[in-house]
Amino acid sequence: MVSTHTTFNSKVTIYVVSCWIFAAFGGLMFGYDIGVSGGVTSMDDFLIKFFPRVHERKLHAKEDNYCKYDDQLLQLFTSSLYLAALVASFGASKACSALGRKPTILIASTFFLAGAALSAAAEHHWILIIGRILFGIGVGFGNEAVPLFLTEVAPVQHRGAVNILFQLFVTMGILFANLVNYGVSTLHPNGWRVALGVAGTPALVLFIGSLVITETPASLVERGKETQGKEALKKIRGLDDVDAEYEQIKEACERAKLVKDPFKKLTKLSSMPPLIIGISMQVFQQFTGINAIMFYAPVLFQTLGFKNDASLLSAVITGSVNVLATFVSIYAVDKVGRRKLLIQACAQMLISQVAIAGILLVHLKTTGTLTRGLAAVVVLLVCLFVMSFAWSWGPLGWLIPSETFPLETRTAGFAFAVSANMLFTFIIAQAFLSMLCHMKAAIFLFFSAWIVLMGLFVVFLLPETKGVPIDSITETVWKKHPVWKKFMNEKKGHQALDQWPKLIL
Ligand code: BGC
């Protein structure tokens, strides 16, 4: 019999908070990698050394506002990281199951350290790209293990907030990178080396942290280490009496043990609801258009007629808004729930994107610049957009997929969510500058259409997972949802994938 307790006792100890923070440094690494590339690719020294053609075009920027940075190789510098992470997340899923969450975080930090060293020392394109690939493998391992780790060690009533520490650190990483970019932009000719190499510092903190943190009880019990699992649970809850929660974890592990091949299990009907939700959350997160802003903020602001310094500064402003607004989510996620945050944000994101598109379509022609006043309005609208993303799709894109899979398919299913994030981050990173060049301001309308779609998705298909213990998710959420329960039927649940259209129609 599955227990469906909705809460268990716990204390917040210094040790458990240190575990959360150390692990969250994995998010900081991810954020730093996101933030650093936009700044580096707008630095003249970097462009002259590696992308002289782009630099040449930038000098004649007056010719075309929307197309000055459109270069596939330059985009590949930004996006190679995400391809590497995409592939690595499946290896990371195996590592997470076979070795545990803690060693997977250690592996991530080692790749980050190697990536920082190589990128900072790069003399040729190919070393630069290898450095990005090493960072990417780090991201694949870190982004698989850290959100799962945080979700599994969090007390159920604070799970949303604890998991969002990952995203909070992502936003801090992006801001840190923006500040470093701003600081080194006058450091000639090696400012870009400093920007890329500084990533080694948080990587070192993550490395040390990964030696100190606990393994999660679920991972220990799943790998047959039951006594250690119970001890770990006592330690992270700060209590001796953890029997009820331990029993629920054990039951989940027993069910998990019956599943020999989690990837095969994911092809069954009963796995479709969390899989569809997990992947959609990540795909939609990317189609908000957030990374068009995050990667290319300095480039974008230059495109909008800001001078070099002013545009880096504007990126610092959006970066700060991103960090601050994430606190709203930490506060609200376990109180108002996931769905309300997502729906509110869709409305705010839609209004700001349509307004940006309107201003640019009317006022920013292929050549010329915006007036100061209008440029300020655009920055304000970008801030409104970033703010709403930061308390919704940003953190929840990671939280929801980490809490919707039952233990037996958790690491495998989450790997699909992570890789969907990476794939679409890659696609947008690779395509954005060309899209901007061809679609011009209408690019913001393209993202607006997606925002409408994702709003409808939340309204009709996304279940509320606030306050549900993850190890009773199937019983408490999936078997009760009006649409998804049709997939969970005992007999039909074992059927293969091709049966699903009949079930929802
Ligand atoms: C996303 C990143 C994005 C960042 C912005 C993360 O949740 O996965 O792609 O750049 O949020 O804060």
Side-chain angles (χ1 to χ4, degrees), residues 30 34 166-167 170-171 174 282 285-286 290-291 294-295 322 389 393-395 398 421 425:
F30 176 43
I34 293 169
F166 172 75
Q167 174 71 10
V170 171
T171 61
I174 297 175
Q282 292 284 20
Q285 185 201 60
Q286 290 307 311
I290 185 67
N291 281 326
M294 286 301 147
F295 294 143
N322 196 17
F389 174 88
W393 292 87
W398 294 100
N421 179 287
T425 309

Side-chain angles (χ1 to χ4, degrees), residues 340-409:
K340 284 192 187 138
L341 281 173
L342 291 167
I343 293 169
Q344 183 284 334
C346 280
Q348 189 168 328
M349 290 193 296
L350 184 64
I351 295 169
S352 30
Q353 293 246 13
V354 171
I356 296 176
I359 295 182
L360 298 189
L361 281 171
V362 178
H363 297 284
L364 187 65
K365 303 294 169 228
T366 310
T367 57
T369 55
L370 288 176
T371 62
R372 279 178 78 108
L374 276 179
V377 175
V378 171
V379 173
L380 188 76
L381 288 167
V382 168
C383 288
L384 279 177
F385 166 77
V386 169
M387 181 189 297
S388 48
F389 174 88
W391 62 54
S392 61
W393 292 87
L396 302 183
W398 294 100
L399 168 64
I400 294 177
S402 79
E403 63 185 9
T404 50
F405 289 97
L407 186 59
E408 58 269 31
T409 49

Side-chain angles (χ1 to χ4, degrees), residues 405-419:
F405 289 97
L407 186 59
E408 58 269 31
T409 49
R410 192 172 299 150
T411 62
F414 193 63
F416 278 98
V418 176
S419 55

Side-chain angles (χ1 to χ4, degrees), residues 486-505:
K486 300 181 193 158
F487 290 73
M488 310 309 292
N489 173 304
E490 281 301 316
K491 276 197 216 128
K492 289 182 182 161
H494 298 296
Q495 289 174 10
L497 206 57
D498 53 2
Q499 299 297 317
W500 73 268
K502 285 187 211 149
L503 288 176
I504 33 176
L505 297 178

Side-chain angles (χ1 to χ4, degrees), residues 69-125:
Y69 288 99
D70 179 19
D71 180 278
Q72 289 298 322
L73 197 60
L74 180 64
Q75 285 167 227
L76 192 63
F77 166 76
T78 297
S79 52
S80 53
L81 183 147
Y82 299 93
L83 274 190
L86 191 166
V87 178
S89 57
F90 289 99
S93 145
K94 296 258 182 229
C96 256
S97 306
L99 309 173
R101 293 23 168 175
K102 179 177 152 108
T104 311
I105 297 177
L106 179 71
I107 297 175
S109 66
T110 317
F111 277 104
F112 285 135
L113 282 169
L118 220 60
S119 322
E123 281 298 337
H124 303 283
H125 281 112

